[in-house]
Amino acid sequence: MGSSCFISGVDASAFSLANLPYGVFSAPHQPPRPCVRVGEAVLDLCSLERRGLLPSSAALPLFDTPTLNTFMSAGPQVWAGVRQQLQQLLAVETPTLRDAPDVQAQVLHPLSDVTLHLPVRIGNYTDFYASRQHATNVGTLFRGPNNALPPNWLHLPIGYHGRASSVVVSGTPIRRPSGQMRPAGAEAPVFGPSQELDLEVELGAVIGTGNALGAPIPVDEAPAHIFGYVLVNDWSARDIQRWEYKPLGPFLGKSFATTISPWIVPAAALEPFRVALDPQMPAPLPYLNQGERLGIDIDLAVDLMAENGTAMSIIETNAQYLYWTFPQMVAHHTVNGCNLQPGDLLASGTISGPAPHSFGSLLERTTGGARALMLSDGSTRTFLADGDTIVLRGEARRGDLRIGFGEARGTVQPAQ
């Protein structure tokens, strides 16, 4: 999209016409409804649709609803048509909104005046384990360097079925979970608040159109099923998880909360940031073998802010460090006939790079709690303290082009 926006300051922002991420907002005394973010404002898609300013493709309205699910289920052709129309409506050369201040007042709202909501109804949530560096780091901690990767890791994207009901939008407080854990050296477990509360830097793909039960999605067709991407922080209680995960994997140590950003960045907006990845060795089985294996160059960063105001950058990583791509995740998820549905969330798992500052969790950053991080006020962290706020941010950059994801923010509250 080469046009400028008629709204001052938008062109230079990370939320320009090249981005237009989708979300759901509510203004005072109004119900939640879909929107796109334009600079520091939101554009009301329901109001535009009612005015006949957006293309219609179905008997039912696409945006007169409190989630984006109806729109996402309409498919790539409709997504492209709406995106093109929005870019045209907001372009400086288009008078429709530019010269109608009364309409602008009804469809454009300052971001500071609205409340943002969970943008989709998430029916199912799957968390993968797709970063080789993360899997190696964690495996080394638990099993030693010679057995770091499970024998199947280089052959398939490992995943587990998460808890969709506890996926929350950025800004939602996070209650420290309680559960069973077995302290080091103890013979029996104890019950209490987790002492090893952690974060996980992840990227999530939001499914647009799904597949019929029993009909796998081929890897080369998988991109057409991905509506867009969100930031994900899959909070983890490491001590609870360590005691419970054998033999079936994560359960209460992760199901208490997962934070996502309020903005879904369209897959189309990220096309300029696709990057070629190294060949996989060994080569995957044919159903996972992509003709061209592309990652996404997105910078991801985490700040930790203590309750006393002390702040520290603790992680800087990038989505292109993923070994398994999202199309491979979709293909593997459905190869057994599992049916994905509009709004399903597929998260990457923790994303870690080659250097310690790029490790995507405190478990890795502190070597399992053995090496504390020091904050600027002299206090230390191995895991999260009550009152800590974690802010995960994401942005793709290339030259003057910036695509922002906003943030996934959560503050730890004491256990119930």
Side-chain angles (χ1 to χ4, degrees), residues 192-215:
S194 169
Q195 301 302 303
E196 298 181 10
L197 182 60
D198 201 356
L199 66 125
E200 291 189 341
V201 177
E202 306 192 23
L203 188 68
V206 181
I207 296 300
T209 53
N211 57 302
L213 183 66

Side-chain angles (χ1 to χ4, degrees), residues 235-259:
W235 306 85
S236 298
R238 301 297 184 185
D239 41 6
I240 296 174
Q241 180 183 357
R242 186 165 56 246
W243 172 238
E244 73 178 356
Y245 84 102
K246 294 179 181 180
L248 293 181
F251 184 36
L252 301 185
K254 285 181 174 288
S255 63
F256 60 95
T258 301
T259 299

Side-chain angles (χ1 to χ4, degrees), residues 139-210:
T140 299
L141 280 173
F142 293 163
R143 295 182 297 275
N146 294 330
N147 298 296
L149 292 180
N152 61 350
W153 199 95
L154 292 172
H155 297 275
L156 58 87
I158 295 174
Y160 76 95
H161 192 71
R163 183 69 187 176
S165 66
S166 54
V167 179
V168 297
V169 73
S170 176
T172 305
I174 304 301
R175 180 73 64 182
R176 180 180 296 273
S178 293
Q180 281 194 33
M181 62 209 87
R182 189 174 69 178
E187 291 293 326
V190 299
F191 178 86
S194 169
Q195 301 302 303
E196 298 181 10
L197 182 60
D198 201 356
L199 66 125
E200 291 189 341
V201 177
E202 306 192 23
L203 188 68
V206 181
I207 296 300
T209 53

Side-chain angles (χ1 to χ4, degrees), residues 170 231 260-263 391-394 405-409:
S170 176
L231 303 177
I260 68 170
S261 52
W263 304 112
V391 183
L392 166 60
R393 297 186 178 89
F405 282 74
E407 63 181 37
R409 173 188 295 256

